Amino acid sequence: YEGVDKAKFAKKKLGDVPKKHGLGERYFIYTGNAYPHKNLRRVVEAVYFLNKNNFYGGDETVQFAIVTSRSEFEKRLRLMISELDAEEYVKLLGYVEDAELGELYANSLAFVFPSLQEGFGLPGLEAMSAGTVVMASNIAVFKEVYGDSVVYFNPYDFSTIERAMKDMITMDKDKRS
C-alpha cells in the first residue's frame, strides 16, 4: 500500500487557518482533483439541502471546502456550484500548502470522499492522520483500504450523503475518536 507522511498531517494545533480561507466553524472538506468521477456534485447537492432544510435552525450554516488545483474541471465545478445556487455553502480553496492542510483537516467535521471509482484513496489516509473522521463512497477500493474505520454512503444518492453529514454533526466525541 501507499502511505502518508504522518509528520505533514499529524494532529495540528488548532489555529486560524480555516478563518484565513473564509471558513466558519462547521465545514466538511474534500481534497483532490475535480474530475467528474470524483462525484463532487452529489456532495454539493447534499450540503445545499442540509442547509436549506435548516438542520441547525437559525442562521448557522455548514460549508463544504474543496481543495483542488485550478483546471478546466475546476471551472466546470464552479459553474455547477453556481447553477445549484450553492455558492454560500461551498468554498473552492484552490491549492493549499501541506502545513495548512493538516489544520484544515483537523478542524473539519469530516473529510468527504465521494468518488465513483478510485485507484487507492490516499487523501482519506491523510485526513485520518490529522484525526479527522472520513466519510467515503461505499466502493470496493475504499472498503479494502479503509475497512471499518470510516462512515460509508451510497455515492449515487445525495440524500445518503446528507444523512451521513447529519450523523457527523451530531456524533458524540467518544464515537468520533
Side-chain angles (χ1 to χ4, degrees), residues 18-176:
K19 287 180 186 175
K20 173 185 169 187
H21 289 283
L23 296 170
E25 290 185 24
R26 299 178 190 270
Y27 66 90
F28 292 90
I29 190 167
Y30 164 84
T31 60
N33 291 309
Y35 300 142
H37 75 273
K38 297 296 186 171
N39 198 31
L40 294 173
R41 178 185 187 94
R42 291 213 174 78
V43 182
V44 171
E45 291 170 338
V47 79
Y48 174 84
F49 284 105
L50 183 74
N51 284 290
K52 286 299 178 185
N53 292 333
N54 204 10
F55 179 68
Y56 280 119
D59 293 334
E60 279 194 80
T61 60
V62 177
Q63 295 171 304
F64 179 42
I66 301 173
V67 177
T68 189
S69 57
R70 305 279 183 232
S71 70
E72 183 60 35
F73 294 104
E74 182 265 344
K75 290 177 188 173
R76 292 179 193 176
L77 178 61
R78 191 174 299 278
L79 179 62
M80 179 266 297
I81 292 166
S82 176
E83 288 171 353
L84 292 173
D85 196 27
E87 297 98 327
E88 179 181 355
Y89 312 119
V90 181
K91 298 284 186 187
L92 294 176
L93 305 185
Y95 174 79
V96 173
E97 295 286 338
D98 286 346
E100 292 186 341
L101 189 55
E103 191 174 323
L104 288 172
Y105 283 142
N107 281 282
S108 70
L109 292 165
F111 173 76
V112 185
F113 213 170
S115 294
L116 300 174
Q117 60 186 24
E118 275 302 325
F120 184 76
L122 203 54
L125 295 178
E126 292 174 355
M128 287 179 192
S129 292
T132 302
V133 176
V134 173
M135 297 170 42
S137 297
N138 190 358
I139 59 175
V141 68
F142 288 165
K143 292 282 206 173
E144 180 182 345
V145 173
Y146 303 139
D148 61 358
S149 298
V150 305
V151 174
Y152 292 103
F153 56 80
N154 176 352
Y156 296 98
D157 180 1
F158 79 85
S159 68
T160 66
I161 301 170
E162 180 187 8
R163 209 167 20 257
M165 288 176 153
K166 288 176 182 177
D167 289 346
M168 293 299 99
I169 292 167
T170 60
M171 184 179 284
D172 67 52
K173 271 187 162 183
D174 290 336
K175 187 172 182 182
R176 182 173 283 280

